[in-house]
Amino acid sequence: MTELSQLRQGAFAPTHTADIADALVQSSGLRIEIDRRRGRGAGLNPSGRFEEERREVFDDGWQTLEELEPFRTEVQVEKPKTAITRNDSPDIGFDRSINPYRGCEHGCIYCFARPSHSFMGLSPGLDFEAKLFAKPDVPRLLERELSKPDYKVRAIAIGTNTDPYQPIEREWRIMRQILEVLQKANHPVVIVTKSALVMRDIDILSDMASKGLAKVGISVTTLDRKLARTMEPRASTPSKRLEAIKALSDAGIPTAIMASPIIPALNDHEIERILDAGHAAGATEASYVLLRLPLEVSPLFRDWLLRNYPDRYRHVMSLIRSMRGGKDYDAEFGKRMKGAGPYAWQIGRRFEMTTKRLGLGRRGMHLRDDLFIRPNGGGIQLSLL
């Protein structure tokens, strides 16, 4: 059993101390030196689960480690065949979504989308944060799909996998173009982000919201700027996210405060404060999701915890497992978002009591689907006469 698999399966806790686990990971060659990953969330860059070879860093005595360059953000163009992704998950409130990008520069250590990078032959670790894919054809493909005679309108969710307003959006502006297509077609959209860059598109979103076609959820994981910087290194600061909630709300755009993810013994004590702050900024809805650690996310999160909060390592993982049937993660529908057991129940009750006190809605405003204007052609090649 490798050190990575031991870390994933929790073999180091509770019989071994966090110091021993940290030392084993450090000596394994899996952890990337701080100078190469500064400003990133993950400390590991393990091979994806589909790869036949395993990568590790080791000193060969020729000082080659000093020649390795820091991880820099690289963007490749991806050519998808379709813009809209469908799902039939019973515990998700949408059946279609759009992902303008693959990978996310925000570098949130807990991101459940990290394992998707394995499908590209890349690591869910640092590669997920630094080797990104942009999909500039998505707006054109979206217009084409909306123009099909058999297309049936339902709200499209954006930001459910990776953040559409991550830093590279400033240059690529794919999300802006997507919104322009949706605005023209009067198509309902729900956006999830933790970036203040969403304020750039208030002009489009406010126009759509005035017709009941748009709402935005802003994820605020913590109000502690230091914790946010460590856990979500390239995302907007908590204060900027609250500023975005206020700006969107003031513009008449229905906005939700999302306390996600809740991490026991790390940020769960902030639930009430986060909801209070979101309500004060103008949020009218609220939601939360318990920390999810599927596949490679578990060892990446464990390593991050060992590096940054070694004194809490055993306690955090013990509580997580108490809510996941003794495992790091339980993917069962109905449980994966909220967990199970006494501690999960307590988190749920605290959230319910606070949202009730503040008058924050939980079911969400229904977006209109009766104003849809089917695009004319949308880039579909005309048949030859």
Side-chain angles (χ1 to χ4, degrees):
M1 183 181 292
T2 66
E3 287 85 353
L4 182 61
S5 61
Q6 285 179 307
L7 191 63
R8 180 185 291 115
Q9 296 176 23
F12 296 134
T15 58
H16 291 64
T17 66
D19 288 339
I20 294 176
D22 187 59
L24 285 170
V25 177
Q26 183 65 39
S27 64
S28 70
L30 293 170
R31 186 174 291 164
I32 306 299
E33 294 299 320
I34 182 64
D35 288 341
R36 295 191 60 215
R37 56 178 170 82
R38 197 175 301 279
R40 304 290 180 179
L44 308 177
N45 203 42
S47 300
R49 62 189 179 281
F50 303 118
E51 303 306 300
E52 296 181 356
E53 299 178 351
R54 172 175 172 264
R55 298 178 293 185
E56 67 178 52
V57 178
F58 71 95
D59 190 348
D60 59 4
W62 292 91
Q63 298 181 326
T64 53
L65 292 181
E66 298 177 3
E67 299 173 3
L68 294 175
E69 295 184 355
F71 281 79
R72 303 182 188 282
T73 301
E74 303 172 5
V75 183
Q76 300 180 50
V77 171
E78 183 176 341
K79 297 282 188 178
K81 295 182 179 180
T82 60
I84 301 174
T85 300
R86 308 278 178 163
N87 83 85
D88 57 1
S89 301
D91 56 355
I92 295 179
F94 58 89
D95 69 351
R96 64 197 70 182
S97 60
I98 298 176
N99 297 301
Y101 304 101
R102 186 189 297 271
C104 188
E105 196 176 5
H106 282 163
C108 304
I109 191 59
Y110 51 74
C111 183
F112 66 86
R114 284 181 176 274
S116 64
H117 241 46
S118 293
F119 293 103
M120 308 301 289
L122 297 172
S123 173
L126 288 162
D127 284 351
F128 178 80
E129 308 172 33
K131 296 184 178 181
L132 312 178
F133 296 83
K135 306 175 186 179
D137 288 344
V138 163
R140 177 181 61 82
L141 293 172
L142 174 62
E143 186 174 9
R144 184 177 70 182
E145 291 170 39
L146 297 183
S147 69
K148 293 180 178 179
D150 60 347
Y151 178 79
K152 292 182 172 52
V153 182
R154 289 194 65 181
I156 289 177
I158 309 180
T160 57
N161 196 42
T162 56
D163 202 311
Y165 287 105
Q166 60 180 286
I168 60 172
E169 166 64 14
R170 290 186 173 87
E171 175 184 354
W172 288 83
R173 298 176 68 85
I174 300 173
M175 180 59 178
R176 174 82 183 185
Q177 296 173 58
I178 290 172
L179 288 178
E180 289 171 347
V181 172
L182 296 175
Q183 179 189 32
K184 185 178 179 181
N186 279 343
H187 195 293
V189 63
V190 179
I191 299 170
V192 176
T193 183
K194 55 170 61 71
S195 173
L197 182 58
V198 67
M199 292 189 288
R200 179 200 64 188
D201 295 336
I202 281 181
D203 57 332
I204 296 178
L205 293 172
S206 61
D207 175 68
M208 296 183 71
S210 68
K211 304 174 185 177
L213 296 172
K215 63 180 179 179
V216 179
I218 303 291
S219 173
V220 181
T221 313
T222 177
L223 299 180
D224 183 337
R225 184 163 181 163
K226 181 179 178 181
L227 174 58
R229 173 70 175 174
T230 305
M231 189 165 56
E232 310 154 334
R234 300 199 178 193
S236 297
T237 62
S239 60
K240 290 294 291 183
R241 295 181 220 181
L242 292 172
E243 179 184 328
I245 291 176
K246 178 170 175 49
L248 292 166
S249 179
D250 288 348
I253 303 165
T255 309
I257 176 77
M258 307 175 69
S260 304
I262 297 297
I263 306 174
L266 199 63
N267 72 346
D268 60 338
H269 65 283
E270 296 187 74
I271 293 174
E272 290 81 3
R273 292 179 58 224
I274 291 172
L275 295 176
D276 280 336
H279 177 259
T284 55
E285 299 177 15
S287 68
Y288 83 96
V289 174
L290 190 66
L291 175 69
R292 299 166 60 187
L293 298 177
L295 302 168
E296 294 97 336
V297 183
S298 176
L300 290 168
F301 177 78
R302 284 174 172 272
D303 174 69
W304 175 84
L305 203 55
L306 287 169
R307 287 185 285 113
N308 294 281
Y309 299 94
D311 57 324
R312 305 189 199 182
Y313 176 79
R314 292 174 62 182
H315 188 42
V316 171
M317 294 311 304
S318 175
L319 289 174
I320 288 174
R321 292 184 139 209
S322 75
M323 295 184 284
R324 298 296 189 186
K327 301 177 291 185
D328 285 3
Y329 182 55
D330 181 358
E332 182 180 343
F333 290 134
K335 292 184 179 179
R336 58 178 182 162
M337 301 296 185
K338 307 299 183 185
Y343 204 87
W345 181 87
Q346 182 187 76
I347 288 175
R349 298 299 80 70
R350 288 172 56 196
F351 177 84
E352 288 180 358
M353 291 172 63
T354 306
T355 53
K356 183 177 180 180
R357 171 173 60 83
L358 296 173
L360 289 170
R362 295 184 59 191
R363 293 185 178 274
M365 180 194 76
H366 176 70
L367 297 178
R368 296 185 64 175
D369 57 12
D370 59 334
L371 302 177
F372 179 62
I373 302 174
R374 198 176 305 278
N376 182 19
I380 296 179
Q381 185 175 353
L382 297 177
S383 59
L384 296 176
L385 298 176

